[in-house]
Amino acid sequence: MTKLKVTIAGIEFDARFEDAAPQTVAAFRAKMPFKGQVVHVRWSGEGVWIPLGETDFGLGYENHTSYPAPGQIILYPGGISETEILLAYGGVHFASKLGQLAGNHFITLTSNTDKLADLGPKVLYEGAQDILFEEIDA
């Protein structure tokens, strides 16, 4: 049995994949372990994101939202803006300079969520931080 772990700026979070987004979960799992860097959002409020440019996960919308709650991770599959992954650490209204967007809610952090309030300002004031998504033996 494995569990999902997300590490951001050295902070480890347990997480779960969302059953309501099976296609997004499968597409993302195929790219794991997934390493990147988060930067602070520009238009959406209290969130950090991984810009993915023209990356094509081959997805449409499922379990999508413009208002992820703190600890929820969404994947925007591209279209009117670039592909991206966003983590809400506070209030988010997901958008780009082209207007409101919706992303597929496919992961939820389940531990250390009290650390999210510190994570956002760290990324904002200190710059890009490493992120790693991995499945580990439970």
Side-chain angles (χ1 to χ4, degrees):
M1 182 166 169
T2 62
K3 71 176 188 174
L4 179 60
K5 182 172 85 170
V6 180
T7 306
I8 310 168
I11 304 168
E12 293 184 1
F13 300 90
D14 292 330
R16 71 169 184 269
F17 286 114
E18 292 298 324
D19 293 337
Q23 294 174 358
T24 306
V25 169
F28 187 76
R29 265 188 154 150
K31 297 193 181 291
M32 289 180 64
F34 188 92
K35 295 178 184 179
Q37 287 198 312
V38 293
V39 294
H40 203 275
V41 299
R42 294 179 286 210
W43 317 104
S44 300
E46 297 176 318
V48 296
W49 66 303
I50 306 168
L52 297 173
E54 298 299 317
T55 302
D56 184 1
F57 283 88
L59 297 168
Y61 291 111
E62 67 174 351
N63 196 37
H64 54 288
T65 182
S66 295
Y67 300 97
Q72 292 183 343
I73 298 176
I74 61 175
L75 187 151
Y76 175 69
I80 62 171
S81 187
E82 71 179 291
T83 303
E84 66 183 85
I85 295 171
L86 179 143
L87 164 64
Y89 69 83
V92 166
H93 177 184
F94 184 39
S96 74
K97 62 184 174 183
L98 300 173
Q100 183 171 337
L101 302 173
N104 301 344
H105 172 210
F106 75 111
I107 293 175
T108 301
L109 301 181
T110 59
S111 72
N112 284 336
T113 54
D114 58 316
K115 306 271 192 251
L116 290 172
D118 296 329
L119 178 65
K122 179 178 183 67
V123 174
L124 180 62
Y125 295 113
E126 295 179 23
Q129 301 291 317
D130 291 334
I131 185 168
L132 172 64
F133 296 82
E134 59 187 332
E135 288 186 281
I136 58 171
D137 292 330

